[in-house]
Amino acid sequence: MKRQLINYFSFSKKELNGILILFFLLSLILSFPFCYRFFDREEEYDLSRFQQEIISFKASARKRENNYDRFKDKVEENLLKPGYFAFDPNTASSSDWQKLGLSPKQIKVLKNYTSKGGKFYKREDLKKIYSIGEGQFKELEPYIQIKESKPQSFGDRKLPVAAGINRKAEKKNLVVELNAADSLTLDQLRGIGPAFASRIIRFRNRLGGFYSKEQLRQVYGIDSLKYSQLESQITVDPSSVKKIKINTVDFEELRTHPYLSFKQMNAIIQYRKQHGNYSSPDDLKKVLLLDEEIIRKIEPYLAFDP
């Protein structure tokens, strides 16, 4: 047994030489990475010039941006800078208003007022347009020149000139339709001034129109006493209410409506996506976030077209 083990583990001289050479080669291979790192040093780069170029580029970009901002401000200032001249608000054109420094939105309000037969009888009437602020009116006031209309004769009767109409008597007997009245017309009502007129117009625009007189009580500042004072001076035409197409409306169209919260608006749209179009107000009762009162309030504003 011992002899067999000796024969098995014994090597000839040639085999021993081969084993030594093999160990030598393995040692070289294993030591090569360490030797390589020692002799192959990383090349060092000088980044100072590159960083200097970055700083120079950023400074140049900021300078160009500042120049652009100054140029843009100058252009906008020249475009918006009013060029004052004498004008009659009853006959002024859109370009005239633009030259006087009014925005497109303000011009639209003014043209809407005059197109419906509204007139300015004195300078202060322009201040009652809710889109024109006190400061802007003061700038325009010296240039306002309102021409008086000539008396018109009907037999032996003569109509008074426009500027001579008894405004107090007119205000006392005036009855207006809420959905058609502009801010100047509302200002003629007893108990209504420019601030209330502006609030009523804004609330009406968010609603899409009034369908009953009682909705006026939902305008901020109009309590039961104020409403009782106004009730006999107003009428409402529900047919002029702007309808919401409930089966096609998106969130952006709904978001301004004062009767619905954002969660309720989203629930209405998501239920429609999941269950299909609404066919009647009863379908809205299936939306968990809508109670009977909310459905009753919004029903006059809904159109259930496919």
Side-chain angles (χ1 to χ4, degrees):
M1 182 69 178
K2 183 176 180 181
R3 183 180 295 276
Q4 289 178 346
L5 289 173
I6 293 173
N7 290 335
Y8 184 79
F9 287 104
S10 63
F11 300 97
S12 66
K13 185 176 182 181
K14 186 181 290 185
E15 289 173 337
L16 286 173
N17 290 336
I19 291 171
L20 291 174
I21 293 173
L22 177 63
F23 274 112
F24 177 73
L25 292 175
L26 287 173
S27 300
L28 285 178
I29 293 171
L30 293 174
S31 62
F32 178 77
F34 300 99
C35 297
Y36 178 80
R37 282 200 296 270
F38 179 77
F39 291 103
D40 185 30
R41 296 182 178 179
E42 293 183 1
E43 184 177 356
E44 295 182 357
Y45 297 95
D46 184 9
L47 300 178
S48 59
R49 183 180 176 183
F50 180 67
Q51 291 173 344
Q52 188 63 34
E53 289 179 354
I54 291 176
I55 294 171
S56 176
F57 175 77
K58 288 182 177 179
S60 176
R62 281 195 297 268
K63 184 177 180 181
R64 286 196 298 270
E65 184 178 353
N66 292 335
N67 290 337
Y68 173 76
D69 289 340
R70 285 196 294 269
F71 173 75
K72 182 180 177 182
D73 292 341
K74 188 173 181 180
V75 170
E76 290 180 350
E77 181 181 354
N78 290 333
L79 288 175
L80 299 176
K81 187 176 181 180
Y84 295 115
F85 55 88
F87 69 98
D88 184 346
N90 290 311
T91 58
S93 64
S94 297
S95 60
D96 291 336
W97 288 117
Q98 187 176 7
K99 292 175 184 176
L100 290 166
L102 271 69
S103 67
K105 183 178 180 180
Q106 291 173 311
I107 295 171
K108 183 178 179 181
V109 172
L110 282 162
K111 301 307 289 184
N112 183 54
Y113 172 70
T114 54
S115 66
K116 292 182 177 180
K119 288 186 69 67
F120 301 95
Y121 298 102
K122 56 184 180 180
R123 291 180 175 182
E124 289 74 16
D125 288 345
L126 186 63
K127 185 168 58 174
K128 296 174 183 177
I129 297 293
Y130 72 91
S131 62
I132 295 180
E134 183 71 26
Q136 193 171 29
F137 171 74
K138 288 181 179 179
E139 296 290 335
L140 295 171
E141 185 179 10
Y143 302 93
I144 300 174
Q145 295 182 1
I146 299 176
K147 297 178 181 179
E148 294 185 356
S149 59
K150 296 180 179 179
Q152 299 179 10
S153 59
F154 290 82
D156 295 331
R157 292 178 57 202
K158 286 189 176 182
L159 295 178
V161 293
I165 293 177
N166 189 332
R167 303 299 299 281
K168 291 183 179 180
E170 181 185 3
K171 189 163 186 174
K172 182 178 179 180
N173 301 316
L174 191 65
V175 176
V176 303
E177 200 281 305
L178 272 182
N179 289 327
D182 51 46
S183 57
L184 278 180
T185 304
L186 290 172
D187 186 41
Q188 304 305 310
L189 298 177
R190 296 188 306 277
I192 293 292
F196 272 120
S198 177
R199 289 179 200 170
I200 292 171
I201 295 292
R202 285 198 297 268
F203 187 70
R204 184 184 68 190
N205 291 342
R206 291 182 64 199
L207 275 176
F210 296 98
Y211 63 79
S212 72
K213 289 184 182 182
E214 287 73 19
Q215 287 178 285
L216 198 60
R217 300 179 64 176
Q218 298 164 16
V219 176
Y220 176 74
I222 297 182
D223 53 19
S224 57
L225 183 62
K226 176 72 72 176
Y227 175 73
S228 63
Q229 183 184 6
L230 296 172
E231 186 177 10
S232 61
Q233 302 180 74
I234 58 174
T235 62
V236 168
D237 178 12
S239 64
S240 59
V241 167
K242 183 181 178 181
K243 296 285 187 176
I244 299 170
K245 295 183 178 180
I246 194 65
N247 288 321
T248 57
V249 69
D250 57 22
F251 185 83
E252 283 301 314
E253 293 177 82
L254 276 178
R255 67 188 299 271
T256 58
H257 204 284
Y259 289 163
L260 293 170
S261 67
F262 284 177
K263 288 184 178 180
Q264 289 169 332
M265 296 172 194
N266 187 58
I268 289 173
I269 293 172
Q270 293 304 321
Y271 186 89
R272 184 186 68 201
K273 288 180 179 179
Q274 295 173 11
H275 302 279
N277 289 348
Y278 300 100
S279 58
S280 70
D282 289 337
D283 288 343
L284 290 171
K285 296 177 182 178
K286 301 172 185 177
V287 181
L288 296 179
L289 294 181
L290 301 180
D291 55 30
E292 293 283 348
E293 183 182 359
I294 289 295
I295 295 173
R296 178 183 58 79
K297 289 172 69 174
I298 66 173
E299 183 178 351
Y301 296 100
L302 304 181
F304 292 87
D305 300 329

